[in-house]
């Protein structure tokens, strides 16, 4: 039996309770969690913006140590340190065949499986495949990536979602080049990772945008050269900081219609707007045909940073070891399992960066 945060139904409060994990089956591993990040996607799963089978144990950004392996697992052994990969590519679907593993059609199939039970026998699903809001979890071996040496295990949890997403948005989706200007909308965990990644890419002007004035210090520490408190004048302010042109790249990390529209309006003619934030179906964004022609901008979605986690994790680890990427700077609160509901409330209120559950 291990302690876990269980979502009994969509919209219901999380329950911190004991669950029973089976031994790992063929092709599976059991992992003792060191830490798990509380991501906005977990909140979206709990309130029904994104749908997964319930009851479920949420949490998809985690790192820990392998304690047991199932039959047929040869690339991992007990004692190995791993980062959880919530979207393992199948290698067989059309997206994987194109090399677009972040769009794998089968990546989330594991979320429908029954992976554990509560003390009364209620079947539980593993949220986004990995069920990281628990002291231990059992996952497919493809969901556990070896952690490169030299990275603190607790901080490594952030590599599983926030950092891969922010880094990939800059380097894979928007493809920021040295000397370009970048605006980042939303200074949460992903936004902070995006700001650091823009700095690593050599961006000259980096504008952070958030509704909270209190996040300016966080943003500047991550690499922002300017800070704008979100308002109806955000796009005008950003154009004023860039010679009235707008930024070369805007990255939206919120998932709201108003911020997506502001990011688009802040982008220069011919620039790139990348949307990372996950919004609900009610968040409708409109453009007229003339402005699409006139501005010549590119608007693109970005799933999991357009990353191949197995290939990008060693690159990120090298940035961490070299001091270019500061994982601990993304964390504004370290909590226990029972602190997750309060972390959800802080996200709704726009407070802080990443909350990290430490086991």
């Amino acid at each position: 039996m291990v302690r876990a945060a269980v979502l009994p139904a969509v919209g219901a409060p999380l329950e911190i309770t004991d669950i029973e994990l089976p031994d790992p089956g063929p092709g599976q591993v059991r992992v003792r969690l060191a830490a798990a990040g509380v991501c906005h996607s977990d909140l979206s799963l709990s309130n029904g913006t994104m749908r997964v089978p319930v009851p479920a144990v949420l949490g998809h950004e985690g790192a820990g140590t392998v304690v047991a392996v199932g039959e047929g697992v040869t690339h991992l052994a007990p004692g190995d340190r791993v980062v959880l990969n919530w979207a393992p590519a199948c290698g067989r679907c059309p997206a994987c065949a194109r090399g677009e593993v972040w769009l794998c059609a089968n990546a989330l199939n594991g979320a429908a499986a029954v992976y554990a039970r509560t003390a009364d026998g209620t079947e539980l699903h593993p949220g986004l495949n990995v069920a990281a809001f628990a002291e231990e979890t059992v996952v497919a071996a493809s969901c556990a990536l070896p952690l490169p040496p030299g990275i603190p295990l607790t901080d490594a949890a952030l590599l599983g979602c926030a950092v891969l997403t922010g880094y990939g948005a800059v380097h894979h989706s928007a493809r920021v080049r040295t000397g370009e200007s970048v605006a980042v909308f939303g200074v949460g965990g992903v936004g902070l990772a995006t700001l650091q990644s823009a700095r690593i890419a050599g961006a000259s002007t980096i504008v952070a945008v958030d509704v909270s004035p209190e996040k300016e210090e966080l943003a500047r520490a991550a690499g922002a050269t300017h800070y704008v408190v979100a308002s109806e004048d955000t796009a005008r302010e950003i154009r004023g900081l860039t010679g009235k042109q707008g930024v070369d790249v805007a990255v939206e990390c919120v998932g709201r219609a108003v911020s997506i529209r502001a990011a688009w309006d802040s982008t220069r003619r011919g620039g790139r707007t990348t949307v990372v934030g996950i919004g609900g179906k009610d968040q409708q964004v409109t453009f007229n045909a003339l402005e699409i022609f006139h501005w010549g901008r590119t608007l693109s979605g970005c799933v999991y940073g357009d990353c191949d986690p197995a290939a990008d994790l060693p690159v990120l680890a090298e940035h961490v070891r070299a001091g270019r990427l500061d994982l601990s700077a993304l964390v504004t609160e370290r909590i226990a399992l029972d602190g997750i509901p309060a972390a959800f409330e802080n996200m709704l209120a726009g407070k802080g960066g990443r909350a990290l559950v430490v086991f």
Side-chain angles (χ1 to χ4, degrees):
M1 303 292 284
V2 300
R3 298 287 285 173
V6 175
L7 178 69
V10 172
L14 291 178
E15 298 176 356
I16 312 302
T17 186
D18 290 330
I19 66 170
E20 183 176 354
L21 283 177
D23 293 331
Q28 293 183 321
V29 297
R30 181 163 176 154
V31 177
R32 179 180 298 118
L33 272 297
V38 183
C39 179
H40 202 281
S41 296
D42 297 309
L43 177 60
S44 296
L45 292 168
S46 72
N47 63 26
T49 299
M50 298 168 61
R51 292 283 183 174
V52 292
V54 290
V57 175
L58 302 183
H60 61 279
E61 182 183 81
T65 304
V66 174
V67 294
V69 302
E71 181 183 349
V73 177
T74 58
H75 70 290
L76 293 170
D80 287 349
R81 305 188 317 156
V82 295
V83 174
L84 298 181
N85 172 20
W86 60 269
C90 72
R92 303 181 304 275
C93 71
C96 286
R98 293 190 301 267
E100 297 173 343
V101 296
W102 55 92
L103 299 179
C104 175
N106 301 307
L108 295 181
N109 285 358
V114 173
Y115 98 111
R117 286 175 170 78
T118 62
D120 65 5
T122 301
E123 295 181 337
L124 296 173
H125 301 280
L128 290 180
N129 283 326
V130 297
F133 288 166
E135 294 169 330
E136 296 187 11
T137 188
V138 174
V139 301
S142 58
C143 289
L145 300 175
L147 176 64
I151 311 300
L153 185 58
T154 300
D155 291 346
L158 302 167
L159 295 171
C161 184
V163 178
L164 276 169
T165 300
Y167 173 85
V170 168
H171 290 269
H172 298 322
S173 181
R175 299 183 180 180
V176 175
R177 298 181 289 267
T178 299
E180 288 193 312
S181 54
V182 177
V184 178
F185 287 72
V187 185
V190 173
L192 288 169
T194 304
L195 288 167
Q196 288 202 44
S197 298
R199 175 177 45 77
I200 291 170
S204 57
T205 299
I206 305 174
V207 185
V209 182
D210 199 275
V211 296
S212 172
E214 288 75 24
K215 291 187 180 182
E216 181 171 359
E217 184 177 349
L218 273 175
R220 289 189 180 275
T225 59
H226 300 79
Y227 191 82
V228 172
V229 178
S231 70
E232 293 182 356
D233 293 325
T234 294
R236 184 179 295 110
E237 287 188 57
I238 291 176
R239 288 196 296 272
L241 296 171
T242 54
K244 299 184 179 180
Q245 297 299 303
V247 289
D248 297 299
V249 171
V251 182
E252 199 274 352
C253 303
V254 182
R256 295 186 61 215
V258 64
S259 54
I260 293 172
R261 181 70 219 201
W264 167 268
D265 289 338
S266 300
T267 306
R268 67 164 172 82
R269 195 175 187 189
R272 291 100 70 200
T273 306
T274 295
V275 178
V276 173
I278 302 172
K281 293 180 180 178
D282 60 324
Q283 296 295 311
Q284 299 290 317
V285 188
T286 60
F287 308 91
N288 66 61
L290 181 60
E291 70 174 311
I292 292 174
F293 160 77
H294 172 75
W295 289 105
R297 297 166 175 148
T298 300
L299 176 68
S300 62
C302 178
V303 178
Y304 203 5
D306 293 1
C307 276
D308 177 350
D312 286 310
L313 191 58
V315 176
L316 291 171
E318 179 54 34
H319 284 309
V320 174
R321 288 192 294 262
R324 293 183 292 268
L325 180 60
D326 184 355
L327 298 178
S328 63
L330 276 63
V331 180
T332 53
E333 188 179 18
R334 295 175 187 265
I335 60 175
L337 275 173
D338 58 8
I340 296 174
F344 281 178
E345 292 300 318
N346 285 339
M347 280 193 288
L348 284 171
K351 296 179 180 178
R354 200 49 132 215
L356 190 67
V357 180
V358 179
F359 295 96

